[in-house]
Each structure stands twice: as structure tokens, then as C-alpha cells.
Amino acid sequence: MEAHLHLYEMMLSAAKPMALKAAVLLNIPEILATRGRENPLTVDEIAQHISASTKNKVPQREYLFRILRLLAFCGVFTEDIDEQIKQLKYGLNSVSKLLVKEGNRDSFVPFLMLAVDKVYLDTHHHFRDAVLEGCHPFVKVHGTSPWEYVSSNAEANKLFIQAMACHTKDVMASVVKMYDGFKSVRSVVDVAGGVGSALSAILGQHSHIKGMNFDLPHVIATAPAIPGVKHIGGNMFDQIPCGDVIFMKWILHDWDDDHCIEILRKSYEATPKDGKVLIVDALIDGSQGSLNRLGLLFDIHMMISTMGGKERSEEEFSQLFFKVGFKSYNIIQLPFLQVLIEVSKF
């Protein structure tokens, strides 16, 4: 029976991210952050506020309750009984606070909306095709690579950039805090740096650094002006601008080994003999821990939404580094799924 229950839970777990999406679209985190700041709200109170915020009729109470009940059970909202009125009340906790959009620099909503976007969810129906045909599910569904799709679709590009910037804030705060190598660095090139969020965090603590944000022209076209940062459009497979440090966050996991070797080779050529490459990426370690479980989920996501991308083990990373000519590397554990890998020529 335990095996049956385990399978049922796996089969029906797709409801979890969609319930999160529904809660965000219904403005529930915002409602609880403003109207329920002092005291949690009942389902009826939340329904009334949803109606006011959406300028629509009062929503279906039963459906709303069932979504709230599931998310509370999953640890997203608090759920407590008000003994005076004999009704359940719902409030924010540390998880649902990340779903508040307005005025919240820590909001994780952009990443959530990318993860549940139909463009990427549709690729989940082609696991079997990937195995039997060796195809890339994203290409099979959309007829083009993910990068070409994003570059030709303004809304998709905006969603992707916002999601990456969302992830960058938390990770870069830890990178800047835990890595002391920036103190002696004169220039940093952020490869595929999006709109410059990572460099903004680095220069915020190390203003002496000359920053170069390097990405495809259509991405650079949306990048805001950042003091100390020069935005450069180009292709990392052609040439990478020279700098003391080449920085890459969540880039290598987008590509297969051959493309990673090419990116690393261009990075090797762009740095001086004492230069370094800093890589922020997940590390699969084979353990049964929650971080490794998350890493395996990301690995499947990369399998179906990129053209050969994957999460790697330390051994797989080291093979890439040494094939290019790098001599050593050092891994710095971050309080996230990702680690910081410092790769050196010496």
C-alpha cells in the first residue's frame, strides 16, 4: 500500500505548481500581506478582497478553500482555526512571503511564472520521444531552439530575463559575501549576464572593478545603465571580452559538453595567465539529500527545455576544466542548490 500511495503522490504532484500560480494570479499573497498583516483572513474575507482587486464577482468559495487548503498543507500558507467564529484562517509564512510581488525585492514570482509557463510545460509530454528519438523536446514542440524562441518573442524574452534576475538577487548576495577574491580583481566579464544584475551586486561591494556585461544583442538592448558597467553585445561562441575574471552564472548547465568546452576555451583565451573563471552552477553529488533531489529535478528540466543542457557532478565539471587546459579549481558551497567554482590556469 505504501508503494501505491507514493506513486499516487508523484502522479498528482503537478497540481502543486499550478496551485501556486493560481494563488499569485488571484493576488492572494498580496491580500494577506496588506489586509491580513495583523491577523490571518478567513476564506470569505480573502474571497471578498479577490473580488475587489480583480473587479470581478465574488469567486467560488469552495474552490478557493480547496486551493488554500492544499497550499497550507504543503507549507505555503499558515492555516489555523479561529475558535471564536469556528472558521479556518490563512496567513503568510516565510514561503508565501516570497510570492508577494509589490515592493518585495525578494519576490520569487518571476521565476515561478517562468517555471509554469505553457511554453516550457508543453515539453514535458516528450520525455519518451527524447529517449527513443534522441530529440530535444523544446525543439520538437516549438520548432526552434529555446534561445531563438526567446530572441524572437518579446514577452518570452521579458519573462526569461525577469526570472533570471529574480534568481540572481539571492545567489549573488551570497557570492559577494563568501568570495573574497574580488578584492584584487580589476575587471570582471559576466558572460550571458542578462541585464547586468550579477555585476550590479559585485560592483555594489567592489566599486573599483570595471564590469563588462556580455550577452546577445537582443538581451543587451533591454539592459539598463549601471554605474561602472559596460554592456557589450555579442556571441560567447565567437569571442568573449578580455578580463581578469570571467563570470558565468547558470550558463554551463544550458549546454552539452562540447559547447561547454568551447565556452570554457573562449574564457581561457580571454583571461591573463593569473586570471580565473568563476562559475555558479548546481552540483549533483549522488546523495539522498533535498538539495540533490532538487538538482535532479533541475537536470530533467534542462533535458527537456534546452539542447543538451544538464546539471553536472564535480567529476564531470573537472573533466571539462582539464580538457580546456585549466590546472585547478576550488568549490565554495553556497546556501543554495548552486555552488561557486573558482577555476584557475595555475
Side-chain angles (χ1 to χ4, degrees):
M1 180 56 68
E2 185 176 345
H4 288 76
L5 295 176
H6 183 64
L7 277 177
Y8 273 125
E9 183 170 353
M10 286 192 66
M11 289 186 291
L12 299 175
S13 287
K16 296 178 183 178
M18 304 317 292
L20 285 173
K21 178 181 180 180
V24 168
L25 293 179
L26 289 168
N27 297 319
I28 295 174
E30 255 75 23
I31 290 169
L32 293 177
T34 54
R35 306 296 184 179
R37 181 175 299 169
E38 300 299 328
N39 295 296
L41 301 178
T42 65
V43 176
D44 289 327
E45 289 171 333
I46 294 172
Q48 291 292 338
H49 289 304
I50 289 174
S51 178
S53 66
T54 59
K55 295 180 174 57
N56 204 340
K57 64 179 182 179
V58 177
Q60 292 290 328
R61 182 191 184 283
E62 181 187 353
Y63 293 161
L64 175 61
F65 163 65
R66 287 156 70 176
I67 291 172
L68 287 166
R69 179 175 60 180
L70 170 65
L71 292 176
F73 183 82
C74 293
V76 177
F77 296 114
T78 64
E79 180 186 66
D80 297 291
I81 184 73
D82 187 320
E83 294 294 347
Q84 288 186 332
I85 61 175
K86 302 301 180 183
Q87 290 190 39
L88 289 170
K89 286 189 170 184
Y90 295 88
L92 295 181
N93 60 15
S94 59
V95 177
S96 45
K97 286 178 181 177
L98 295 174
L99 299 177
V100 176
K101 293 173 289 187
E102 297 300 323
N104 180 17
R105 66 172 302 276
D106 296 322
S107 176
F108 223 68
V109 169
F111 201 94
L112 166 65
M113 300 311 286
L114 177 72
V116 299
D117 190 86
K118 190 175 184 296
V119 169
Y120 298 96
L121 289 182
D122 284 350
T123 64
H124 287 70
H125 296 283
H126 297 276
F127 282 42
R128 173 182 177 274
D129 299 331
V131 173
L132 295 182
E133 303 172 15
C135 68
H136 300 304
F138 191 98
V139 177
K140 187 176 183 69
V141 173
H142 300 291
T144 187
S145 75
W147 319 119
E148 291 169 338
Y149 184 93
V150 169
S151 67
S152 62
N153 187 305
E155 282 301 312
N157 185 51
K158 180 181 178 181
L159 181 63
F160 184 81
I161 289 174
Q162 288 176 337
M164 293 303 101
C166 163
H167 174 265
T168 295
K169 287 181 292 188
D170 286 338
V171 172
M172 287 308 302
S174 293
V175 169
V176 173
K177 180 180 179 181
M178 300 178 69
Y179 182 68
D180 61 5
F182 289 124
K183 296 176 182 177
S184 58
V185 170
R186 294 166 299 177
S187 60
V188 174
V189 179
D190 188 1
V191 175
V195 294
S197 302
L199 278 177
S200 181
I202 293 172
L203 269 64
Q205 297 294 320
H206 303 282
S207 58
H208 67 281
I209 291 178
K210 175 186 176 183
M212 287 168 275
N213 182 45
F214 182 65
D215 212 317
L216 294 170
H218 77 271
V219 178
I220 293 300
T222 67
I226 301 173
V229 175
K230 180 180 180 181
H231 296 295
I232 304 173
N235 190 317
M236 61 187 173
F237 293 109
D238 295 332
Q239 187 177 19
I240 292 175
C242 294
D244 295 335
V245 167
I246 303 299
F247 184 83
M248 287 183 282
K249 182 187 74 67
W250 257 11
I251 303 304
L252 294 185
H253 80 157
D254 289 333
W255 302 95
D256 60 25
D257 288 352
D258 289 340
H259 282 91
C260 284
I261 287 173
E262 189 60 29
I263 295 169
L264 289 168
R265 183 173 289 117
K266 297 296 182 185
S267 300
Y268 189 99
E269 295 170 355
T271 51
K273 62 180 181 180
D274 59 346
K276 296 179 180 180
V277 175
L278 296 180
I279 297 165
V280 176
D281 242 319
L283 200 64
I284 302 295
D285 62 14
S287 72
Q288 295 298 312
S290 59
L291 279 181
N292 198 58
R293 182 168 63 249
L294 181 57
L296 296 178
L297 289 172
F298 265 110
D299 179 59
I300 291 296
H301 177 71
M302 303 316 295
M303 181 185 83
I304 61 175
S305 61
T306 67
M307 299 175 65
K310 62 180 181 179
E311 307 297 356
R312 293 177 169 85
S313 66
E314 179 178 347
E315 181 180 356
E316 289 174 313
F317 271 120
S318 67
Q319 290 175 359
L320 297 177
F321 301 152
F322 296 145
K323 280 183 180 179
V324 171
F326 290 102
K327 302 300 182 184
S328 64
Y329 66 90
N330 178 44
I331 296 176
I332 301 171
Q333 185 64 55
L334 303 173
F336 300 94
L337 169 64
Q338 293 78 24
V339 299
L340 175 64
I341 310 176
E342 180 189 51
V343 190
S344 305
K345 290 183 174 181
F346 51 90

